[in-house]
């Protein structure tokens, strides 16, 4: 979402939540974090799972050198060993090839996600092997620009929420979702704020 939209959303959240109103002047509004949408971003999501940003960037550099056009047909055509040599685990090779095969078979269409509601889009993504709810919600937030997504499985998000609310321990995902229900329909802005707050909040 654009910066002005995000700042307006934060002002709305501050009016609804006294804890946000208290710390927002101290840490400020978060910056937007838009990402491209489509097959290539979903492929990159597989690559990035459970590794550092630097490692993912290096692997994608090697993959892009072999596949200048990161499309479903290109991924389906390349030998799995080439993806393994680029740095993907065999499990991630399987996920990447499965994503490409689903796109080519028409059982999944990355471009069609834009027209789906949040629940249907999440269901379509999580039906793919290698994509959990967190990955789907992150895609909806950053690639599709959905305004009311809260990826409660994110550890940093829950740690920040616990700090914001003065809890002794971080909430569970289910507890976190309940705690931010009143942030609707601006939960994406709230999630962005919590990540921003996580980096600047007192431990």
């Amino acid at each position: 979402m654009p910066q002005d939209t995000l700042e307006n959303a934060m002002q709305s959240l501050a009016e609804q939540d006294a804890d946000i109103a208290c710390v927002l002047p101290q840490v400020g509004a978060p910056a937007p974090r838009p990402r491209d949408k489509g097959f290539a971003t979903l492929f990159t999501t597989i690559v990035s799972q459970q590794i550092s940003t630097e490692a993912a960037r290096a692997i994608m550099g090697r993959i892009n050198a072999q596949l200048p056009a990161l499309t479903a047909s290109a991924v389906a055509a390349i030998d799995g060993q080439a993806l393994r040599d680029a740095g993907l685990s065999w499990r991630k090779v399987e996920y990447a090839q499965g994503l490409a095969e689903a796109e080519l078979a028409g059982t999944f269409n990355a471009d069609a996600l834009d027209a789906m509601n949040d629940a249907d889009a999440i269901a379509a993504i999580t039906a793919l092997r290698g994509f959990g709810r967190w990955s789907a919600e992150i895609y909806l937030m950053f690639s599709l620009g959905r305004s009311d997504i809260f990826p409660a499985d994110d550890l940093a998000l829950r740690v920040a929420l616990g700090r914001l609310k003065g809890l002794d321990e971080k909430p569970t995902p289910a507890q976190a979702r309940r705690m931010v229900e009143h942030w609707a329909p601006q939960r994406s802005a709230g999630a962005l704020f919590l990540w921003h707050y996580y980096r600047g909040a007192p431990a």
Side-chain angles (χ1 to χ4, degrees):
M1 65 184 74
Q3 184 67 49
D4 58 345
T5 301
L6 183 53
E7 290 179 358
N8 289 337
M10 288 310 308
Q11 290 302 319
S12 176
L13 288 173
E15 293 171 3
Q16 300 173 46
D17 192 302
D19 294 309
I20 290 180
C22 180
V23 301
L24 182 59
Q26 302 171 25
V27 300
R33 292 161 57 177
R35 296 170 62 191
D36 293 336
K37 56 188 175 183
F39 175 87
T41 295
L42 290 164
F43 179 94
T44 303
T45 298
I46 294 172
V47 173
S48 302
Q49 289 172 348
Q50 298 180 321
I51 60 175
S52 70
T53 301
E54 293 75 15
R57 188 179 297 116
I59 292 171
M60 284 306 305
R62 292 190 288 269
I63 290 173
N64 287 329
Q66 298 187 61
L67 298 174
L70 192 52
T71 62
S73 56
V75 171
I78 193 171
D79 185 70
Q81 185 63 53
L83 294 176
R84 179 70 185 92
D85 292 343
L88 289 185
S89 66
W90 279 116
R91 179 62 58 86
K92 288 186 178 182
V93 170
E94 180 184 333
Y95 293 160
Q97 291 177 333
L99 170 65
E101 290 165 3
E103 184 83 21
L104 293 172
T107 55
F108 175 78
N109 184 343
D111 293 336
L113 296 171
D114 224 353
M116 298 180 184
N117 63 37
D118 293 345
D120 288 347
I122 289 171
I125 295 171
T126 55
L128 297 164
R129 290 198 65 198
F131 287 88
R133 184 181 178 91
W134 180 87
S135 295
E137 289 176 330
I138 292 295
Y139 184 83
L140 264 66
M141 276 187 66
F142 297 129
S143 295
L144 299 185
R146 300 297 173 87
S147 64
D148 198 31
I149 302 295
F150 190 82
D153 292 313
D154 189 276
L155 178 60
L157 207 64
R158 288 185 282 119
V159 169
L161 181 60
R163 290 178 186 171
L164 180 70
K165 296 299 180 181
L167 304 180
D168 293 332
E169 297 184 0
K170 65 182 179 297
T172 66
Q175 289 170 336
R177 292 186 193 280
R178 289 194 296 270
M179 289 170 66
V180 302
E181 284 178 349
H182 66 294
W183 290 2
Q186 304 288 358
R187 281 175 285 193
S188 294
L192 282 169
F193 176 74
L194 287 175
W195 280 312
H196 178 61
Y197 178 66
Y198 177 79
R199 291 190 292 271

